[in-house]
Amino acid sequence: MFKKLIVFLVVLLILLQFYRPKRNISAEPMPNDISQVFTVPGDVEAILKKSCNDCHSNNTFYPWYAELQPVRWWLDDHIAEGKKELNFNEFKTYRPGKQYNKLEEVVKMVKEDEMPLSSYTLIHTNAKLSKAEKNKLINWANDIRDTMKATYPIDSLERKKPPVSAK
């Protein structure tokens, strides 16, 4: 019985290798990229490319192990979740308040070492941010937020706090 189960699992694993989901790679120009709205200096662009864009853009660099199922499904799930939270290639489509708040989240996540994910940097060691890179990214995001504060009414940018219910 155990031998049949092992054979079944091996055959299932082999069959899974023939399922090839669509990759997160776009050859199209990115008209809604953050760089179309705000200045992205070359050094910041390099940081985003090495540490953020695999999960937060429409272009993912797939390592060799992404060819293996079910690893690919797991990676695709992370990518979909990352793009749902923030997609730098679709940033222009966000309303100004959402842009402002997403940049605030970038600052918070980088400061608290929550991004890039430790599960990502475990294998992609080059994606780890140095203190200087963190500061550069934080300062860039804060500069954009300051520009937005000077351009838009502050109540259109900040999240509305839910009312505190009286009990």
Side-chain angles (χ1 to χ4, degrees), residues 13 16-17 19-21 65-73:
L13 193 59
L16 284 175
Q17 303 315 306
Y19 177 69
R20 297 285 174 205
Y65 54 83
E67 296 301 321
L68 305 173
Q69 299 294 10
V71 174
R72 174 69 173 278
W73 287 333

Side-chain angles (χ1 to χ4, degrees), residues 94-143:
Y94 300 165
R95 61 179 178 69
K98 184 174 181 178
Q99 291 175 355
Y100 184 83
N101 290 314
K102 289 300 175 185
L103 290 168
E104 179 181 30
E105 289 174 20
V106 167
V107 169
K108 180 180 181 279
M109 299 291 233
V110 170
K111 271 186 182 175
E112 296 176 0
D113 291 324
E114 292 184 35
M115 284 292 159
L117 293 174
S118 56
S119 60
Y120 181 77
T121 58
L122 184 67
I123 294 174
H124 302 90
T125 54
N126 67 320
K128 289 181 183 176
L129 296 172
S130 69
K131 187 172 183 165
E133 290 171 324
K134 286 179 188 180
N135 288 335
K136 182 145 315 262
L137 202 52
I138 289 167
N139 290 337
W140 169 74
N142 280 332
D143 287 348

Side-chain angles (χ1 to χ4, degrees), residues 90-101 148 152 156-160:
E90 301 299 330
F91 201 80
K92 189 176 177 181
T93 65
Y94 300 165
R95 61 179 178 69
K98 184 174 181 178
Q99 291 175 355
Y100 184 83
N101 290 314
M148 293 182 80
Y152 299 100
S156 72
L157 297 176
E158 293 184 343
R159 278 192 194 115
K160 310 281 189 273

